[in-house]
Amino acid sequence: MRRTALALLVVIAAAPGQEGAPGAVRKEGDCYALVCHGGDEALAEQALAVVDAAWPIVAEVFGVPDAKPERPLEVHLYRTSEQYIAADDALTGGKFRRNLAMSHWGSRSAHVAVQPPCGDEALRALGLPPLTVAMLAWEATHVARFELCPNFRDHPEWFVDGLAAWVAAQVVAARHPAAPEATPYWADDMVRVRRLLEERKLPPARSILSDAVNDLDLRDRYATRAVFFSFVALDREKLAKVAGAIRRTGGGDGYAAAVLAEAMAAFGGADGAFAKHVRNLRPQWEEVYRSLWTAGTEWPQLAFPDRNAIAWRREPLAAGGLEAKGSLRILPGDARQMNFLFARGEEGFYSLAFVADQGFVLFDYRSKTEEWVRVGAGNAPGLRLGVSTDFAVNGRGTKLKVTLDGKSWDLDLPRPLPDRVAWGLGAQAGSAGLWQRVAVESAAR
């Protein structure tokens, strides 16, 4: 009985034009109505600014820059994953539960959870997480298509996913300025597509345009569509012609063939140019698990509750050891640990775990046995929760010096640092923090 009542409540809240569930905050902008479930006025205002930024980009692609929706398009932001899951269960039977973001054809509404999940203190300190910004813009793009294109149910998947990723990248960059290759989220798409090219598995243009890429795993499929769309978007004239055909062609029988013919005429011969484009990509990060954002000098990193966030720099340091410095602010959450990662190789890597109100522990992760071996530790009361604390890491050979809040420790490494040191950043599952003014360089031996 309780589940039925909750489902009914969510359906009512999700229906366009409703004020939402009790306690929901509704804000209307130029093109969207943002309904924030469980959040406050400030969170709703932030989210509304994000989705409103998506509409003009989508309208421009379709060649109708002056178009406006007949009524504000509904986007729902859920403060907790549980709220989102209840809405998805009611609307789709849980089809998009794992995504924590989806757009619903029947109600022409979008639904996004704050992600990665975080506490109120972290949300106040960091603002709307950049991953949530990306997902809001992504789903706002979908409902803009629903409004602008009566035939939206028939749109090719390469265009649906590619356009959403392309718009989201621009909206995020406007708030957190950084080149896509310097942003772990987008750089990871580039890493995946480059790998497909190197392994001779990158689909030809015809396969992408005809949505014949189901042999790729899900993340590779999304990455291929995102990178391909960013490539074809370099020729705005051709893209506008294809987008116009996608929008104007009548749906139903014959739609797919007509749109494919238009797309093939524009981009079907682009295999060589696309391969060259992919080879020229220079992604700076490989994001193993989300979510790190590296715009400016303050880099927020938040981990989902069930796994550590990990992002590695792609280019190892030049020969000569390691010198790293910066400041770290660990924020309240289910866990309170941020990790500086280094010396990644076949044997494993080192993880310097910074724990709020405790200090640090250095671990040696050994890949063959999947062991986490404790190398050393230091008590640093100055590493306080919610307070920025300076840190430095200096290593040469088997010697490592850790400096935290002005106090230093000398440690012996069980394996010497390699000639070229790879490094990365991490957040323990359920943790959130802010890396500040991080600088990592090689050091002469």
Side-chain angles (χ1 to χ4, degrees):
M1 179 65 70
R2 288 184 62 193
R3 180 178 175 83
T4 302
L6 177 60
L8 178 61
L9 175 64
V10 172
V11 170
I12 293 173
Q18 299 293 328
E19 290 301 311
V25 178
R26 180 185 176 92
K27 295 286 184 180
E28 288 195 9
D30 292 337
C31 301
Y32 294 89
L34 192 290
V35 183
C36 185
H37 302 263
D40 57 17
E41 296 271 342
L43 185 64
E45 289 284 3
Q46 290 180 58
L48 178 62
V50 170
V51 296
D52 258 348
W55 174 272
I57 304 174
V58 180
E60 181 71 31
V61 168
F62 282 115
V64 287
D66 297 327
K68 295 289 183 184
E70 293 183 2
R71 60 179 177 178
L73 309 178
E74 292 274 353
V75 178
H76 295 257
L77 176 65
Y78 301 90
R79 180 64 186 87
T80 69
S81 300
E82 291 76 16
Q83 291 170 323
Y84 166 85
I85 289 170
D88 184 48
D89 284 347
L91 292 169
T92 76
K95 183 178 179 181
F96 302 100
R97 173 180 288 219
R98 292 183 61 186
N99 299 46
L100 294 181
M102 63 95 173
S103 296
H104 185 242
W105 283 5
S107 62
R108 299 194 181 187
S109 59
H111 303 262
V112 178
V114 171
Q115 53 183 290
C118 60
D120 290 339
E121 297 93 337
L123 200 63
R124 284 194 295 269
L126 301 177
L128 202 58
L131 180 58
T132 307
V133 173
M135 292 300 97
L136 282 168
W138 191 296
E139 301 305 330
T141 298
H142 288 329
V143 293
R145 277 192 310 104
F146 300 169
E147 175 71 14
L148 291 168
C149 308
N151 60 7
F152 68 87
R153 290 177 174 81
D154 295 315
H155 288 181
E157 290 299 315
W158 73 268
F159 186 87
V160 169
D161 293 338
L163 175 64
W166 188 70
V167 173
Q170 293 181 68
V171 173
V172 172
R175 295 172 62 94
H176 305 279
E181 58 268 21
T183 305
Y185 183 85
W186 309 115
D188 191 62
D189 284 346
M190 300 178 191
V191 170
R192 289 175 172 275
V193 175
R194 280 179 58 109
R195 186 178 297 132
L196 290 173
L197 179 65
E198 292 164 1
E199 295 175 354
R200 300 180 182 274
K201 296 178 181 178
L202 184 64
R206 182 178 187 88
S207 294
I208 298 172
L209 295 171
S210 59
D211 290 333
V213 294
N214 288 334
D215 55 324
L216 301 179
D217 71 35
L218 184 63
R219 287 191 65 182
D220 284 350
R221 207 179 310 157
Y222 273 110
T224 298
R225 288 168 176 161
V227 174
F228 183 76
F229 194 96
S230 67
F231 163 70
V232 301
L234 296 173
D235 191 331
R236 296 296 180 85
E237 184 176 342
K238 287 184 178 179
L239 178 60
K241 190 173 182 181
V242 173
I246 288 172
R247 179 171 180 262
R248 292 190 300 269
T249 303
D253 294 341
Y255 176 86
V259 168
L260 177 59
E262 194 72 50
M264 285 296 296
F267 307 122
D271 287 346
F274 182 47
K276 181 179 179 181
H277 173 79
V278 172
R279 280 193 295 269
N280 288 337
L281 294 174
R282 295 293 180 267
Q284 297 175 17
W285 292 90
E286 179 181 1
E287 188 168 57
V288 182
Y289 300 118
R290 295 167 182 163
S291 166
L292 171 70
W293 296 80
T294 54
T297 59
E298 297 194 336
W299 301 350
Q301 189 171 30
L302 300 88
F304 283 88
D306 58 346
R307 63 178 39 177
N308 300 347
I310 300 175
W312 289 95
R313 285 286 290 193
R314 291 270 293 164
E315 184 65 25
L317 301 174
L322 167 74
E323 287 188 353
K325 62 181 180 180
S327 185
L328 174 62
R329 184 182 176 193
I330 302 175
L331 297 166
D334 292 340
R336 302 174 176 186
Q337 177 179 321
M338 307 295 286
N339 305 315
F340 181 77
L341 314 170
F342 61 99
R344 182 191 193 189
E346 291 184 2
E347 295 182 351
F349 59 86
Y350 293 113
S351 177
L352 185 60
F354 296 113
V355 184
D357 299 325
Q358 294 184 36
F360 75 88
V361 181
L362 178 64
F363 292 99
D364 175 16
Y365 174 71
R366 299 175 180 177
S367 56
K368 288 185 179 180
T369 59
E370 297 186 349
E371 291 179 280
W372 290 90
V373 179
R374 183 184 173 111
V375 177
N379 180 31
L383 181 62
R384 300 195 306 277
L385 188 67
V387 177
S388 294
T389 306
D390 291 337
F391 72 90
V393 184
N394 295 272
R396 297 175 181 82
T398 59
K399 301 298 182 181
L400 190 77
K401 182 177 183 179
V402 178
T403 303
L404 192 56
D405 193 35
K407 188 176 179 180
S408 295
W409 295 262
D410 292 312
L411 304 171
D412 292 320
L413 300 174
R415 290 177 290 106
L417 295 178
D419 287 339
R420 290 168 59 80
V421 180
W423 66 276
L425 300 173
Q428 203 72 5
S431 298
L434 190 64
W435 301 95
Q436 299 166 305
R437 302 181 303 282
V438 174
V440 184
E441 300 175 345
S442 62
R445 289 186 183 275

